[in-house]
Amino acid sequence: MAKPSGLKMDDMQVTGRTDIPLTEHGVGAIKKLAPEIVGPGKLLDAENLCHVWVSPRQRAHKTFELLFESLDELPPHKVCEDVREWDYGNYEGLTSEEIKDKDKHWSIWKDGWDFLLELVQV
């Protein structure tokens, strides 16, 4: 599954369902990482990939394309809503600092999981 981070690295906003492009930082990070992990005998060996599911968010598409741009063709893949990014609910688009202004004890790992019910249903 090719899935980028749910954070916009330039301003650290929580972005799950918001369909934003991959940042320049993200593009650079993927381009630097891809040669190390994609190719014969590496972590992502196209010969060993039967199928890849990609989130419908444009940043996920771009991540997938950049990872495999050195290949003649992309591995078999399908855009699938079931692997979309988390929905951060009312915290979507806010920075961690803005969220903590609303709830000083908030942590993404224990709070703010409006999407948890959705995960249980999947």
Side-chain angles (χ1 to χ4, degrees):
M1 179 182 340
K3 218 173 173 184
S5 167
L7 297 177
K8 283 175 58 178
M9 298 307 290
D10 54 348
D11 58 8
M12 300 303 286
Q13 286 179 301
V14 176
T15 53
R17 70 177 180 259
T18 305
D19 194 14
I20 60 168
L22 189 60
T23 64
E24 287 184 33
H25 175 82
V27 169
I30 295 299
K31 284 186 171 193
K32 181 179 178 185
L33 182 64
E36 297 175 27
I37 65 169
V38 177
K42 296 183 180 177
L43 178 65
L44 297 174
D45 184 339
E47 293 293 319
N48 296 326
L49 296 175
C50 297
H51 200 85
V52 180
W53 287 268
V54 181
S55 163
R57 304 301 178 261
Q58 61 180 311
R59 61 190 182 271
H61 291 244
K62 186 68 172 178
T63 299
F64 177 73
E65 291 167 4
L66 289 171
L67 274 173
F68 296 103
E69 73 180 353
S70 66
L71 304 179
D72 292 335
E73 60 183 58
L74 294 174
H77 63 284
K78 178 181 180 184
V79 174
C80 181
E81 187 68 27
D82 291 340
V83 296
R84 71 189 178 282
E85 289 71 8
W86 292 342
D87 182 342
Y88 292 98
N90 293 332
Y91 297 141
E92 183 81 8
L94 299 179
T95 64
S96 293
E97 185 176 317
E98 290 169 329
I99 295 168
K100 287 187 178 192
D101 284 345
K102 294 176 180 241
D103 178 357
K104 67 180 179 176
H105 300 291
W106 177 84
S107 166
I108 189 60
W109 304 115
K110 67 178 181 61
D111 304 306
W113 297 66
D114 291 352
F115 56 88
L116 186 57
L117 232 116
E118 206 176 304
L119 289 176
V120 172
Q121 292 170 352
V122 172

